[in-house]
């Protein structure tokens, strides 16, 4: 059972929501994330006030610098997790930094942790449809190969449409790409939902007819003749000619990146059954949610814009059933669901599942680094300092049948940040709970973290903290 309700719209950054969702609870993810267009979008009409930033910075401007305009769009823990658990994913980000730009690497770092979580919450029979355009589709496909596996790639769907524009030195770019990946070889795919009628041209080849229908005779090299009957439908192509929404269409709500309902209805039909759970982590004006509701699927949407809740209720009333009180049917939430499928009672963290063994590679040993592996280092630091978080005093839970705390709930971090000339030697390492690790980031020292926890009343047990660690 999912730990979230049908018809829920989360008004939030999608990462904490995804981290809070139980594993293998979603049948289909169909989403239209930022495209890395390096511009800002503004809504019009009913969506006036909607804004979307699609600009990305790896380093940003130095904090406090005169005229600071950019902040970094990445976080240290994102990169730490991809380096440790998904080395192939990390190499894609590094390659983008070198081959394209730091801003592309920042965009991919943003997407990577979210795609990892999307993969986790999909059922083994589930699928992902990721909408993008030529700006970043090649890098996103490499990332999905690293997360889902090359063999789970199904299609690179081309959404072709008409539009204005007359480039001087290239062909008109009038298509988007939808990357279709399955969670496993057993992913659901509907024959009915992925078929289309036979074209008139194909029908013209079947010139004969008997009591079984129209047919043509196929002569083989050995002289034998095989009779082939025409089918009413055939498998749909991976090039979809669906018009964009014109300015006067009733469907248009003024959302800057709105996509046709017909496009997402086709996806929902092809990769889900009635009653299945459909998720859109970048739901915007809720096209995926409306398509799911029209086709009798369950749905959950996530979007940061305060306008999203008004748009989704209006669209459900106008495009699904006017008689329903959608303000009562749709749940608006700002809080992440609490996972029930993990051991312990801690809030969701960046403790992502380890990658398959085939993806693990030896990490380059840094100068002065300890010879312990990470598990041995946790034990070593717990024996030295105590089996608790040295930022707030939290002691991890003890599992039934065990006599010692579960150290996997503690992260290894630097007492003095590497950005502040802190080393990787064991004297500069300590154990932190994931919330303290995120709070400290690469900015504070351990002493500054403790002061902040004390000031914000997040200190759990000050008596467990080892005082000498502040002086390292």
């Amino acid at each position: 059972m999912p730990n979230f309700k049908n018809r829920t719209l989360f008004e939030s950054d999608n990462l904490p929501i995804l981290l809070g969702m139980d594993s293998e609870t979603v049948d289909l993810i169909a989403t239209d994330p930022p495209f890395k267009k390096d511009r800002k979008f503004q809504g019009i009409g009913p969506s006036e006030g909607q804004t979307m930033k699609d600009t990305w910075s790896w380093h940003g401007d130095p904090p406090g610098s005169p005229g600071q305009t950019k902040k970094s769009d990445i976080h240290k823990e994102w990169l730490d997790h991809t380096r440790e658990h998904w080395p192939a994913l990390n190499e894609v980000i590094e390659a983008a930094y070198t081959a394209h730009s730091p801003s592309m690497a920042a965009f991919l770092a943003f997407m990577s942790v979210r795609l990892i979580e999307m993969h986790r919450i999909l059922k083994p029979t589930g699928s992902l449809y990721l909408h993008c355009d030529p700006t970043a589709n090649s890098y996103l496909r490499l990332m999905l190969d690293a997360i889902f596996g090359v063999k789970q790639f199904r299609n690179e769907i081309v959404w072709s449409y008409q539009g204005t524009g007359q480039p001087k030195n290239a062909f008109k770019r009038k298509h988007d790409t939808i990357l279709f990946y399955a969670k496993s070889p057993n992913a659901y795919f509907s024959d009915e939902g992925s078929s289309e009628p036979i074209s008139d041209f194909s029908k013209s080849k079947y010139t004969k007819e008997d009591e079984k229908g129209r047919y043509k005779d196929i002569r083989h090299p050995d002289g034998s003749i095989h009779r082939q009957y025409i089918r009413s439908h055939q498998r749909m192509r991976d090039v979809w000619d669906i018009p964009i929404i014109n300015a006067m269409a009733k469907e248009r709500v003024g959302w800057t990146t709105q996509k046709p309902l017909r496009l997402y209805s086709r996806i929902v039909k092809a990769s889900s059954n009635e009653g299945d759970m459909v998720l859109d982590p970048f739901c915007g004006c809720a096209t995926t949610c409306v398509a799911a509701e029209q086709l009798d699927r369950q749905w959950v949407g996530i979007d940061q814009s305060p306008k999203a809740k008004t748009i989704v209720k209006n669209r459900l009333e106008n495009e699904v059933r006017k008689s329903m009180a959608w303000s009562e049917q749709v749940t608006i939430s700002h809080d992440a669901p609490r996972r029930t499928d993990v051991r312990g009672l801690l809030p969701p963290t960046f403790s992502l599942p380890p990658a398959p063994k085939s993806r693990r590679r030896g990490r380059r040993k840094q100068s002065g680094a300890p010879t312990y592996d990470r598990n041995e280092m946790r034990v070593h630091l717990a024996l030295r300092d105590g089996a608790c978080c040295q930022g707030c005093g939290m002691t991890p839970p003890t599992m039934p049948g065990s006599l010692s705390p579960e150290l996997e709930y503690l992260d290894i971090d630097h007492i003095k940040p590497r950005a502040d000339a802190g080393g990787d030697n064991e004297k500069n390492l300590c154990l932190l709970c994931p919330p303290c690790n995120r709070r400290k980031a690469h900015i504070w020292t351990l002493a500054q973290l403790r002061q902040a926890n004390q000031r914000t009343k997040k200190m759990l047990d000050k008596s467990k903290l080892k005082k000498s660690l502040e002086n390292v």
Side-chain angles (χ1 to χ4, degrees):
M1 288 290 294
N3 61 333
F4 44 88
K5 291 170 56 178
N6 177 31
R7 294 174 177 158
T8 296
L9 178 67
F10 290 98
E11 189 179 311
S12 168
D13 173 20
N14 56 23
L15 184 55
I17 307 302
L18 293 170
L19 286 163
M21 289 180 165
D22 282 352
S23 300
E24 299 185 356
T25 51
V26 170
D27 297 281
L28 170 64
I29 298 176
T31 193
D32 179 23
F35 284 5
K36 207 276 172 189
K37 302 301 287 185
D38 292 326
R39 54 174 289 201
K40 294 182 179 179
F41 297 88
Q42 300 284 340
I44 59 174
S47 299
E48 186 176 358
Q50 175 250 341
T51 61
M52 189 189 80
K53 180 187 77 71
D54 196 6
T55 59
W56 307 90
S57 174
W58 182 269
H59 297 295
D61 294 335
S65 62
Q68 181 180 4
T69 58
K70 289 184 178 180
K71 293 182 179 180
S72 175
D73 292 302
I74 61 169
H75 297 280
K76 174 179 176 291
E77 53 264 39
W78 299 355
L79 302 178
D80 287 346
H81 276 285
T82 53
R83 286 191 191 108
E84 181 174 355
H85 298 293
W86 305 88
L89 197 57
N90 183 62
E91 288 180 9
V92 175
I93 296 172
E94 291 180 349
Y97 189 102
T98 304
H100 192 285
S101 64
S103 63
M104 178 62 79
F107 170 70
L108 296 179
F110 168 87
M111 289 298 299
S112 64
V113 288
R114 289 158 174 81
L115 289 170
I116 289 170
E117 288 302 294
M118 292 182 211
H119 178 267
R120 177 184 62 80
I121 64 179
L122 275 174
K123 294 178 181 178
T125 54
S127 298
L128 166 72
Y129 288 77
L130 185 73
H131 199 132
C132 53
D133 77 354
T135 308
N137 66 342
S138 55
Y139 295 104
L140 289 169
R141 181 167 172 181
L142 287 172
M143 292 179 69
L144 291 171
D145 283 346
I147 296 170
F148 282 75
V150 175
K151 292 184 178 179
Q152 301 314 319
F153 169 73
R154 292 292 179 266
N155 284 105
E156 185 174 87
I157 299 165
V158 174
W159 172 37
S160 176
Y161 48 83
Q162 297 295 323
T164 58
Q166 196 70 24
K168 293 182 180 180
N169 57 358
F171 298 105
K172 291 171 66 173
R173 295 176 181 173
K174 295 301 172 187
H175 80 277
D176 286 0
T177 299
I178 301 174
L179 300 174
F180 169 25
Y181 278 77
K183 176 71 175 283
S184 76
N186 299 321
Y188 173 78
F189 191 67
S190 167
D191 285 336
E192 180 180 356
S194 61
S195 299
E196 61 185 357
I198 292 286
S199 67
D200 291 338
F201 175 78
S202 296
K203 290 178 182 177
S204 67
K205 300 293 183 181
Y206 293 77
T207 56
K208 302 176 182 179
E209 189 171 5
D210 61 14
E211 66 279 1
K212 294 182 179 180
R214 294 176 64 182
Y215 69 90
K216 65 179 179 180
D217 290 328
I218 300 176
R219 186 178 298 276
H220 295 284
D222 62 0
S224 61
I225 296 177
H226 168 68
R227 180 163 294 182
Q228 184 182 73
Y229 285 88
I230 189 172
R231 303 184 304 275
S232 60
H233 286 72
Q234 64 183 352
R235 182 72 79 202
M236 199 175 292
R237 297 179 305 139
D238 59 2
V239 177
W240 296 355
D241 294 304
I242 296 177
I244 58 176
I245 310 170
N246 67 62
M248 303 304 295
K250 292 182 179 180
E251 182 182 337
R252 182 165 287 283
V253 297
W255 202 271
T256 50
T257 57
Q258 184 177 357
K259 302 301 187 296
L261 183 61
R262 179 181 164 193
L263 180 67
Y264 278 80
S265 295
R266 181 174 291 185
I267 292 171
V268 172
K269 285 180 183 178
S271 288
S272 68
N273 283 302
E274 289 185 7
D276 282 354
M277 179 61 72
V278 179
L279 168 67
D280 187 349
F282 297 90
C283 75
C285 61
T287 300
T288 299
C289 305
V290 172
E293 186 69 48
Q294 287 183 341
L295 296 168
D296 296 319
R297 273 68 165 172
Q298 301 183 72
W299 58 265
V300 169
I302 312 171
D303 201 88
Q304 293 189 89
S305 174
K307 282 285 182 180
K309 58 179 177 286
T310 303
I311 296 297
V312 67
K313 290 176 182 177
N314 289 344
R315 292 196 69 183
L316 288 169
E317 180 179 347
N318 295 331
E319 301 179 51
V320 184
R321 286 185 293 274
K322 291 188 177 182
S323 59
M324 288 190 68
W326 289 108
S327 59
E328 300 175 7
Q329 295 293 326
V330 177
T331 301
I332 306 298
S333 177
H334 299 85
D335 301 320
R338 189 176 182 86
R339 283 184 65 179
T340 62
D341 63 335
V342 292
R343 294 162 58 189
L345 302 175
L346 297 181
T349 73
F350 281 95
S351 298
L352 306 176
K357 291 182 178 180
S358 60
R359 294 199 189 107
R360 297 180 187 170
R361 301 180 185 175
R363 300 177 70 189
R364 291 189 295 273
K365 183 178 177 182
Q366 300 177 2
S367 176
T371 56
Y372 306 94
D373 65 30
R374 294 187 69 83
N375 290 329
E376 291 172 340
M377 178 55 74
R378 282 193 182 94
V379 174
H380 174 77
L381 295 176
L383 292 173
R384 187 191 74 183
D385 306 329
C388 67
C389 170
Q390 287 299 315
C392 67
M394 185 280 294
T395 300
T398 300
M399 294 298 124
S402 174
L403 299 177
S404 58
E406 294 288 318
L407 296 181
E408 68 185 74
Y409 288 102
L410 297 174
D411 297 334
I412 301 171
D413 200 8
H414 298 84
I415 298 170
K416 186 177 181 181
R418 282 185 292 192
D420 195 20
D424 284 330
N425 57 78
E426 65 177 85
K427 291 183 179 180
N428 191 45
L429 300 177
C430 66
L431 294 175
L432 295 179
C433 66
C436 281
N437 193 359
R438 295 198 298 274
R439 209 171 295 133
K440 178 178 176 292
H442 61 287
I443 301 171
W444 288 342
T445 63
L446 179 62
Q448 291 170 325
L449 170 67
R450 291 176 175 180
Q451 292 169 4
N453 284 343
Q454 189 76 28
R455 186 172 60 252
T456 57
K457 298 182 180 181
K458 293 178 180 176
M459 183 68 71
L460 299 181
D461 192 346
K462 190 175 181 179
S463 65
K464 294 182 180 180
L465 306 185
K466 192 169 182 179
K467 187 68 176 175
S468 61
L469 295 181
E470 294 186 3
N471 302 317
V472 172

mmCIF file of all heavy atoms in Angstrom, residues 296-325:
data_model
loop_
_atom_site.group_PDB
_atom_site.id
_atom_site.type_symbol
_atom_site.label_atom_id
_atom_site.label_comp_id
_atom_site.label_asym_id
_atom_site.label_seq_id
_atom_site.Cartn_x
_atom_site.Cartn_y
_atom_site.Cartn_z
ATOM 1 N N ASP A 296 -9.464 6.877 -15.450
ATOM 2 C CA ASP A 296 -9.770 6.085 -14.251
ATOM 3 C C ASP A 296 -8.525 5.489 -13.606
ATOM 4 O O ASP A 296 -8.550 4.362 -13.109
ATOM 5 C CB ASP A 296 -10.781 4.982 -14.573
ATOM 6 C CG ASP A 296 -12.124 5.542 -15.008
ATOM 7 O OD1 ASP A 296 -12.568 6.530 -14.401
ATOM 8 O OD2 ASP A 296 -12.716 5.007 -15.962
ATOM 9 N N ARG A 297 -7.448 6.262 -13.603
ATOM 10 C CA ARG A 297 -6.256 5.890 -12.850
ATOM 11 C C ARG A 297 -6.193 6.733 -11.577
ATOM 12 O O ARG A 297 -6.824 7.784 -11.477
ATOM 13 C CB ARG A 297 -4.979 6.154 -13.652
ATOM 14 C CG ARG A 297 -4.516 5.026 -14.572
ATOM 15 C CD ARG A 297 -5.431 4.792 -15.723
ATOM 16 N NE ARG A 297 -4.816 3.965 -16.761
ATOM 17 C CZ ARG A 297 -5.461 3.488 -17.798
ATOM 18 N NH1 ARG A 297 -6.757 3.751 -17.966
ATOM 19 N NH2 ARG A 297 -4.837 2.729 -18.694
ATOM 20 N N GLN A 298 -5.430 6.261 -10.591
ATOM 21 C CA GLN A 298 -5.107 7.087 -9.440
ATOM 22 C C GLN A 298 -3.919 7.985 -9.816
ATOM 23 O O GLN A 298 -3.169 7.666 -10.726
ATOM 24 C CB GLN A 298 -4.725 6.217 -8.241
ATOM 25 C CG GLN A 298 -5.818 5.252 -7.804
ATOM 26 C CD GLN A 298 -5.419 4.480 -6.572
ATOM 27 O OE1 GLN A 298 -5.358 5.012 -5.471
ATOM 28 N NE2 GLN A 298 -5.128 3.199 -6.759
ATOM 29 N N TRP A 299 -3.752 9.094 -9.096
ATOM 30 C CA TRP A 299 -2.657 9.992 -9.450
ATOM 31 C C TRP A 299 -2.179 10.802 -8.258
ATOM 32 O O TRP A 299 -2.906 11.048 -7.302
ATOM 33 C CB TRP A 299 -3.068 10.928 -10.586
ATOM 34 C CG TRP A 299 -4.265 11.793 -10.311
ATOM 35 C CD1 TRP A 299 -5.562 11.522 -10.650
ATOM 36 C CD2 TRP A 299 -4.282 13.062 -9.629
ATOM 37 N NE1 TRP A 299 -6.389 12.541 -10.240
ATOM 38 C CE2 TRP A 299 -5.627 13.501 -9.607
ATOM 39 C CE3 TRP A 299 -3.316 13.866 -9.057
ATOM 40 C CZ2 TRP A 299 -6.018 14.707 -9.023
ATOM 41 C CZ3 TRP A 299 -3.692 15.073 -8.472
ATOM 42 C CH2 TRP A 299 -5.020 15.479 -8.461
ATOM 43 N N VAL A 300 -0.907 11.220 -8.361
ATOM 44 C CA VAL A 300 -0.276 12.132 -7.412
ATOM 45 C C VAL A 300 0.581 13.094 -8.225
ATOM 46 O O VAL A 300 1.282 12.679 -9.159
ATOM 47 C CB VAL A 300 0.599 11.386 -6.386
ATOM 48 C CG1 VAL A 300 1.447 12.365 -5.588
ATOM 49 C CG2 VAL A 300 -0.266 10.559 -5.446
ATOM 50 N N GLY A 301 0.509 14.379 -7.896
ATOM 51 C CA GLY A 301 1.328 15.383 -8.565
ATOM 52 C C GLY A 301 2.169 16.147 -7.559
ATOM 53 O O GLY A 301 1.808 16.259 -6.387
ATOM 54 N N ILE A 302 3.306 16.670 -8.020
ATOM 55 C CA ILE A 302 4.191 17.484 -7.176
ATOM 56 C C ILE A 302 4.601 18.712 -7.982
ATOM 57 O O ILE A 302 5.030 18.579 -9.133
ATOM 58 C CB ILE A 302 5.461 16.714 -6.745
ATOM 59 C CG1 ILE A 302 5.122 15.320 -6.211
ATOM 60 C CG2 ILE A 302 6.241 17.503 -5.695
ATOM 61 C CD1 ILE A 302 6.349 14.444 -5.968
ATOM 62 N N ASP A 303 4.480 19.882 -7.373
ATOM 63 C CA ASP A 303 4.957 21.099 -8.025
ATOM 64 C C ASP A 303 5.157 22.186 -6.972
ATOM 65 O O ASP A 303 4.413 22.260 -5.993
ATOM 66 C CB ASP A 303 3.979 21.590 -9.091
ATOM 67 C CG ASP A 303 4.654 22.514 -10.099
ATOM 68 O OD1 ASP A 303 5.199 22.001 -11.102
ATOM 69 O OD2 ASP A 303 4.663 23.736 -9.873
ATOM 70 N N GLN A 304 6.163 23.026 -7.202
ATOM 71 C CA GLN A 304 6.479 24.082 -6.242
ATOM 72 C C GLN A 304 5.569 25.298 -6.376
ATOM 73 O O GLN A 304 5.421 26.067 -5.436
ATOM 74 C CB GLN A 304 7.927 24.548 -6.426
ATOM 75 C CG GLN A 304 8.963 23.516 -6.058
ATOM 76 C CD GLN A 304 10.361 24.110 -6.043
ATOM 77 O OE1 GLN A 304 10.819 24.624 -5.041
ATOM 78 N NE2 GLN A 304 11.034 24.043 -7.181
ATOM 79 N N SER A 305 4.970 25.488 -7.535
ATOM 80 C CA SER A 305 4.215 26.711 -7.784
ATOM 81 C C SER A 305 2.917 26.748 -6.981
ATOM 82 O O SER A 305 2.127 25.794 -7.028
ATOM 83 C CB SER A 305 3.886 26.851 -9.268
ATOM 84 O OG SER A 305 3.041 27.965 -9.484
ATOM 85 N N PRO A 306 2.644 27.845 -6.261
ATOM 86 C CA PRO A 306 1.363 27.973 -5.548
ATOM 87 C C PRO A 306 0.162 27.999 -6.489
ATOM 88 O O PRO A 306 -0.966 27.763 -6.060
ATOM 89 C CB PRO A 306 1.504 29.313 -4.804
ATOM 90 C CG PRO A 306 2.973 29.595 -4.759
ATOM 91 C CD PRO A 306 3.524 28.989 -6.016
ATOM 92 N N LYS A 307 0.413 28.296 -7.785
ATOM 93 C CA LYS A 307 -0.675 28.339 -8.765
ATOM 94 C C LYS A 307 -1.167 26.943 -9.144
ATOM 95 O O LYS A 307 -2.275 26.794 -9.682
ATOM 96 C CB LYS A 307 -0.207 29.072 -10.022
ATOM 97 C CG LYS A 307 -0.180 30.591 -9.907
ATOM 98 C CD LYS A 307 -1.591 31.137 -9.965
ATOM 99 C CE LYS A 307 -1.598 32.655 -9.896
ATOM 100 N NZ LYS A 307 -2.964 33.190 -9.961
ATOM 101 N N ALA A 308 -0.352 25.922 -8.902
ATOM 102 C CA ALA A 308 -0.675 24.580 -9.386
ATOM 103 C C ALA A 308 -1.988 24.072 -8.801
ATOM 104 O O ALA A 308 -2.795 23.451 -9.497
ATOM 105 C CB ALA A 308 0.467 23.616 -9.055
ATOM 106 N N LYS A 309 -2.241 24.332 -7.508
ATOM 107 C CA LYS A 309 -3.457 23.792 -6.896
ATOM 108 C C LYS A 309 -4.722 24.375 -7.508
ATOM 109 O O LYS A 309 -5.729 23.672 -7.674
ATOM 110 C CB LYS A 309 -3.435 24.002 -5.385
ATOM 111 C CG LYS A 309 -3.297 25.423 -4.900
ATOM 112 C CD LYS A 309 -3.323 25.460 -3.368
ATOM 113 C CE LYS A 309 -3.106 26.884 -2.843
ATOM 114 N NZ LYS A 309 -1.685 27.279 -2.994
ATOM 115 N N THR A 310 -4.682 25.666 -7.856
ATOM 116 C CA THR A 310 -5.848 26.282 -8.493
ATOM 117 C C THR A 310 -6.058 25.730 -9.898
ATOM 118 O O THR A 310 -7.188 25.407 -10.296
ATOM 119 C CB THR A 310 -5.668 27.806 -8.562
ATOM 120 O OG1 THR A 310 -5.455 28.317 -7.245
ATOM 121 C CG2 THR A 310 -6.884 28.470 -9.166
ATOM 122 N N ILE A 311 -4.957 25.610 -10.638
ATOM 123 C CA ILE A 311 -5.049 25.111 -12.014
ATOM 124 C C ILE A 311 -5.557 23.678 -12.047
ATOM 125 O O ILE A 311 -6.433 23.330 -12.860
ATOM 126 C CB ILE A 311 -3.677 25.209 -12.711
ATOM 127 C CG1 ILE A 311 -3.245 26.677 -12.851
ATOM 128 C CG2 ILE A 311 -3.714 24.535 -14.069
ATOM 129 C CD1 ILE A 311 -4.149 27.515 -13.720
ATOM 130 N N VAL A 312 -5.044 22.803 -11.166
ATOM 131 C CA VAL A 312 -5.449 21.396 -11.216
ATOM 132 C C VAL A 312 -6.933 21.254 -10.891
ATOM 133 O O VAL A 312 -7.663 20.487 -11.547
ATOM 134 C CB VAL A 312 -4.579 20.525 -10.285
ATOM 135 C CG1 VAL A 312 -4.808 20.847 -8.818
ATOM 136 C CG2 VAL A 312 -4.878 19.039 -10.512
ATOM 137 N N LYS A 313 -7.442 22.008 -9.920
ATOM 138 C CA LYS A 313 -8.867 21.910 -9.582
ATOM 139 C C LYS A 313 -9.744 22.443 -10.717
ATOM 140 O O LYS A 313 -10.779 21.852 -11.042
ATOM 141 C CB LYS A 313 -9.131 22.665 -8.284
ATOM 142 C CG LYS A 313 -8.526 21.992 -7.061
ATOM 143 C CD LYS A 313 -8.729 22.819 -5.804
ATOM 144 C CE LYS A 313 -8.079 22.153 -4.597
ATOM 145 N NZ LYS A 313 -8.210 22.972 -3.360
ATOM 146 N N ASN A 314 -9.328 23.548 -11.321
ATOM 147 C CA ASN A 314 -10.103 24.097 -12.439
ATOM 148 C C ASN A 314 -10.117 23.151 -13.631
ATOM 149 O O ASN A 314 -11.150 22.970 -14.292
ATOM 150 C CB ASN A 314 -9.535 25.449 -12.853
ATOM 151 C CG ASN A 314 -9.799 26.537 -11.824
ATOM 152 O OD1 ASN A 314 -10.650 26.373 -10.949
ATOM 153 N ND2 ASN A 314 -9.068 27.641 -11.909
ATOM 154 N N ARG A 315 -8.966 22.546 -13.924
ATOM 155 C CA ARG A 315 -8.910 21.637 -15.072
ATOM 156 C C ARG A 315 -9.729 20.377 -14.822
ATOM 157 O O ARG A 315 -10.390 19.863 -15.745
ATOM 158 C CB ARG A 315 -7.461 21.258 -15.390
ATOM 159 C CG ARG A 315 -6.619 22.404 -15.924
ATOM 160 C CD ARG A 315 -5.354 21.895 -16.584
ATOM 161 N NE ARG A 315 -5.647 21.179 -17.820
ATOM 162 C CZ ARG A 315 -4.717 20.584 -18.573
ATOM 163 N NH1 ARG A 315 -3.433 20.637 -18.197
ATOM 164 N NH2 ARG A 315 -5.042 19.956 -19.683
ATOM 165 N N LEU A 316 -9.696 19.856 -13.607
ATOM 166 C CA LEU A 316 -10.495 18.671 -13.298
ATOM 167 C C LEU A 316 -11.987 18.982 -13.443
ATOM 168 O O LEU A 316 -12.758 18.158 -13.931
ATOM 169 C CB LEU A 316 -10.186 18.188 -11.880
ATOM 170 C CG LEU A 316 -8.804 17.537 -11.693
ATOM 171 C CD1 LEU A 316 -8.493 17.346 -10.217
ATOM 172 C CD2 LEU A 316 -8.727 16.202 -12.421
ATOM 173 N N GLU A 317 -12.387 20.180 -13.054
ATOM 174 C CA GLU A 317 -13.789 20.569 -13.189
ATOM 175 C C GLU A 317 -14.179 20.766 -14.650
ATOM 176 O O GLU A 317 -15.252 20.328 -15.090
ATOM 177 C CB GLU A 317 -14.044 21.856 -12.407
ATOM 178 C CG GLU A 317 -15.494 22.325 -12.512
ATOM 179 C CD GLU A 317 -15.745 23.597 -11.723
ATOM 180 O OE1 GLU A 317 -14.879 23.967 -10.905
ATOM 181 O OE2 GLU A 317 -16.800 24.203 -11.933
ATOM 182 N N ASN A 318 -13.297 21.390 -15.430
ATOM 183 C CA ASN A 318 -13.618 21.709 -16.821
ATOM 184 C C ASN A 318 -13.424 20.541 -17.770
ATOM 185 O O ASN A 318 -14.117 20.450 -18.793
ATOM 186 C CB ASN A 318 -12.769 22.895 -17.301
ATOM 187 C CG ASN A 318 -13.090 24.173 -16.549
ATOM 188 O OD1 ASN A 318 -14.206 24.361 -16.088
ATOM 189 N ND2 ASN A 318 -12.089 25.042 -16.406
ATOM 190 N N GLU A 319 -12.483 19.649 -17.468
ATOM 191 C CA GLU A 319 -12.112 18.606 -18.427
ATOM 192 C C GLU A 319 -12.453 17.190 -17.978
ATOM 193 O O GLU A 319 -12.256 16.253 -18.734
ATOM 194 C CB GLU A 319 -10.608 18.704 -18.725
ATOM 195 C CG GLU A 319 -10.198 20.054 -19.303
ATOM 196 C CD GLU A 319 -8.702 20.153 -19.565
ATOM 197 O OE1 GLU A 319 -8.161 19.252 -20.212
ATOM 198 O OE2 GLU A 319 -8.085 21.148 -19.126
ATOM 199 N N VAL A 320 -12.914 17.035 -16.751
ATOM 200 C CA VAL A 320 -13.281 15.688 -16.284
ATOM 201 C C VAL A 320 -14.770 15.654 -15.937
ATOM 202 O O VAL A 320 -15.592 15.227 -16.719
ATOM 203 C CB VAL A 320 -12.415 15.258 -15.072
ATOM 204 C CG1 VAL A 320 -12.755 13.819 -14.663
ATOM 205 C CG2 VAL A 320 -10.927 15.335 -15.425
ATOM 206 N N ARG A 321 -15.124 16.117 -14.722
ATOM 207 C CA ARG A 321 -16.537 16.102 -14.312
ATOM 208 C C ARG A 321 -16.840 17.375 -13.532
ATOM 209 O O ARG A 321 -16.283 17.611 -12.456
ATOM 210 C CB ARG A 321 -16.827 14.868 -13.428
ATOM 211 C CG ARG A 321 -16.889 13.565 -14.185
ATOM 212 C CD ARG A 321 -17.292 12.416 -13.279
ATOM 213 N NE ARG A 321 -16.267 12.139 -12.289
ATOM 214 C CZ ARG A 321 -15.224 11.346 -12.505
ATOM 215 N NH1 ARG A 321 -15.057 10.784 -13.688
ATOM 216 N NH2 ARG A 321 -14.346 11.126 -11.563
ATOM 217 N N LYS A 322 -17.743 18.184 -14.063
ATOM 218 C CA LYS A 322 -18.097 19.435 -13.394
ATOM 219 C C LYS A 322 -18.887 19.201 -12.116
ATOM 220 O O LYS A 322 -18.913 20.042 -11.230
ATOM 221 C CB LYS A 322 -18.909 20.329 -14.339
ATOM 222 C CG LYS A 322 -18.107 20.883 -15.507
ATOM 223 C CD LYS A 322 -18.909 21.893 -16.290
ATOM 224 C CE LYS A 322 -18.071 22.505 -17.405
ATOM 225 N NZ LYS A 322 -18.803 23.536 -18.164
ATOM 226 N N SER A 323 -19.558 18.051 -12.029
ATOM 227 C CA SER A 323 -20.446 17.811 -10.890
ATOM 228 C C SER A 323 -19.694 17.495 -9.604
ATOM 229 O O SER A 323 -20.269 17.561 -8.521
ATOM 230 C CB SER A 323 -21.391 16.650 -11.215
ATOM 231 O OG SER A 323 -20.644 15.470 -11.503
ATOM 232 N N MET A 324 -18.404 17.155 -9.690
ATOM 233 C CA MET A 324 -17.670 16.769 -8.489
ATOM 234 C C MET A 324 -17.113 17.990 -7.775
ATOM 235 O O MET A 324 -16.682 18.959 -8.404
ATOM 236 C CB MET A 324 -16.517 15.811 -8.837
ATOM 237 C CG MET A 324 -16.974 14.422 -9.219
ATOM 238 S SD MET A 324 -15.611 13.243 -9.357
ATOM 239 C CE MET A 324 -15.082 13.109 -7.658
ATOM 240 N N ALA A 325 -17.098 17.931 -6.454
ATOM 241 C CA ALA A 325 -16.520 19.003 -5.639
ATOM 242 C C ALA A 325 -15.015 18.749 -5.528
ATOM 243 O O ALA A 325 -14.536 18.140 -4.571
ATOM 244 C CB ALA A 325 -17.176 19.033 -4.262
#
